[in-house]
């Protein structure tokens, strides 16, 4: 038997008498679903195995030593990374811990956690379709708290770096909780890293370079989008209290992430106005703005 077969049998036996919360569905359907998501995302075998085992320490009698002896130290590390440390703590305390932990977790643990949350979300969406909003009664916290948690997970999972599975999770969170439905074309534009590089470069580029970039954008049918963003930048620069508040919030976030700016300078105001304009236009999370800004900075676009 290969390691995946062993892990399947191990997980099935560990969860054999358990059901999914509020249903008659065998609990093992969840670890299997998580493993399938990780497999489709082309994750490493160790992460897929950890997906099969991720709830064994938290919800069964399986011990750390059993996992270590059967599957090795790395699998144990991943399973521990997906395990809440104190099940007796309040829901709020446990979720805040998860959100903070994921910000600094390595990619493998974030992929595992993302697949876990994605499968849970898909189960919730299916149940809402079948049974309506009464399904929230089976959770320790209702719709508003779950909305806060799932949208916060997008920020925490992407805080350190983006990965393809997170794109899928973000799309489904936004569709379900925010009723945001974007076409594939709009999603492609929204996640076009080169577009953000160009937008940042345009802020301070000489006229000849601006003409060259705009010609290229026109060929890609993106010139009107650029123009609308730059109109928003001007509105943010000279707008009222709401614009100022957004710029200050963006400044605080980026400085907390280690980016230095000149205080009270025109250049900084232009940059913050641009970051806010891109955030609002593409409905970006703060970490997405940071990654685009930092990449452009490292590339010398700014």
């Amino acid at each position: 038997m290969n390691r995946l077969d062993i892990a399947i049998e191990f997980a099935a036996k560990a969860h054999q008498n358990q059901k999914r919360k509020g249903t008659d569905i065998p609990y093992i359907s969840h670890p299997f679903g998580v493993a399938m998501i990780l497999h489709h995302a082309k994750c490493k075998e160790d992460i897929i195995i950890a997906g099969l085992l991720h709830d064994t320490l938290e919800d069964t009698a399986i011990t750390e030593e059993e996992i270590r002896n059967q599957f090795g130290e790395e699998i144990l590390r991943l399973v521990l990374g997906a395990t809440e440390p104190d099940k007796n703590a309040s829901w709020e305390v446990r979720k805040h811990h998860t959100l903070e932990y994921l910000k600094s977790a390595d990619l493998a643990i974030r992929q595992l956690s993302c697949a876990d949350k994605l499968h849970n979300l898909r189960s919730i969406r299916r149940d809402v379709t079948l049974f309506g909003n009464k399904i929230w009664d089976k959770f320790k916290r209702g719709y508003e708290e779950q909305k806060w948690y799932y949208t916060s997970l997008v920020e925490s999972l992407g805080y350190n770096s983006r990965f393809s599975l997170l794109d899928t999770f973000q799309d489904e969170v936004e569709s379900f909780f925010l009723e945001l439905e974007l076409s594939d074309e709009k999603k492609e534009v929204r996640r076009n890293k080169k577009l953000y590089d160009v937008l940042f470069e345009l802020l301070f580029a000489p006229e000849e370079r601006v003409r060259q970039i705009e010609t290229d954008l026109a060929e890609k049918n993106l010139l009107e989008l650029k123009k609308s963003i730059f109109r928003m930048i001007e509105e943010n620069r000279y707008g009222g209290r709401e614009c100022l508040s957004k710029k200050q919030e963006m400044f605080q976030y980026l400085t907390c992430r280690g980016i230095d700016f000149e205080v009270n300078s025109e250049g900084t105001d232009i940059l913050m106005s641009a970051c806010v304009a891109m955030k609002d236009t593409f409905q970006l999370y703060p970490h997405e703005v940071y990654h685009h800004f930092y990449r452009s900075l490292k590339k010398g676009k700014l």
Side-chain angles (χ1 to χ4, degrees), residues 223-273:
L223 183 57
E224 289 306 312
L225 175 62
K226 173 265 176 186
K227 290 179 178 179
S228 69
I229 290 172
F230 272 69
R231 283 194 295 270
M232 290 182 66
I233 292 173
E234 287 300 301
E235 291 171 5
N236 289 334
R237 289 201 65 199
Y238 304 109
R241 184 174 298 177
E242 183 179 354
C243 292
L244 179 60
S245 177
K246 286 183 177 182
K247 289 188 290 185
Q248 289 174 337
E249 184 178 349
M250 182 62 67
F251 180 84
Q252 290 171 358
Y253 181 85
L254 293 175
T255 52
C256 284
R257 303 261 347 224
I259 298 179
D260 294 324
F261 298 97
E262 290 184 27
V263 179
N264 297 325
S265 74
E266 181 182 25
T268 296
D269 186 60
I270 292 171
L271 289 170
M272 293 307 100
S273 297

Side-chain angles (χ1 to χ4, degrees), residues 84-101 141 148-149:
E84 291 184 338
D86 185 3
K87 289 288 287 185
N88 294 319
S90 69
W91 185 89
E92 286 78 9
V93 168
R94 289 185 287 113
K95 300 315 175 188
H96 275 290
H97 173 272
T98 296
L99 293 172
E100 286 303 310
Y101 170 73
R141 297 294 184 275
W148 162 78
Y149 181 51

Side-chain angles (χ1 to χ4, degrees), residues 15 20 23 25-35 119 123 126:
H15 292 290
R20 290 284 273 165
T23 75
I25 300 172
Y27 190 86
I28 193 61
S29 65
H30 173 58
F32 281 5
V34 171
H119 188 265
S123 297
R126 182 189 64 241

Side-chain angles (χ1 to χ4, degrees), residues 20 27-41 43 47-55 82 111-120 122 165:
R20 290 284 273 165
Y27 190 86
I28 193 61
S29 65
H30 173 58
F32 281 5
V34 171
M36 288 298 295
I37 289 171
L38 293 166
H39 171 73
H40 287 308
C43 292
I47 305 175
I48 298 172
I49 291 173
L52 289 164
L53 307 178
H54 77 276
D55 276 336
Q111 288 175 319
L112 172 58
S113 181
C114 188
D116 176 25
K117 311 312 181 194
L118 177 57
H119 188 265
N120 282 334
R122 287 173 173 172
L165 188 55

Side-chain angles (χ1 to χ4, degrees), residues 37 114-126 136 143 146-147 150-151 154 162 164-182 187 190-191 285:
I37 289 171
C114 188
D116 176 25
K117 311 312 181 194
L118 177 57
H119 188 265
N120 282 334
L121 177 59
R122 287 173 173 172
S123 297
I124 292 171
R125 295 191 71 166
R126 182 189 64 241
W136 297 111
Y143 172 82
Q146 298 294 339
K147 177 181 178 180
Y150 275 90
T151 53
V154 177
R162 296 284 300 187
S164 59
L165 188 55
L166 178 54
D167 290 344
T168 302
F169 180 66
Q170 179 176 342
D171 289 344
E172 298 205 23
V173 167
E174 291 176 340
S175 172
F176 183 65
F177 286 109
L178 305 180
E179 298 183 354
L180 176 63
E181 299 286 354
L182 299 178
K187 288 177 185 177
R190 185 191 197 192
R191 294 183 173 131
Y285 282 74

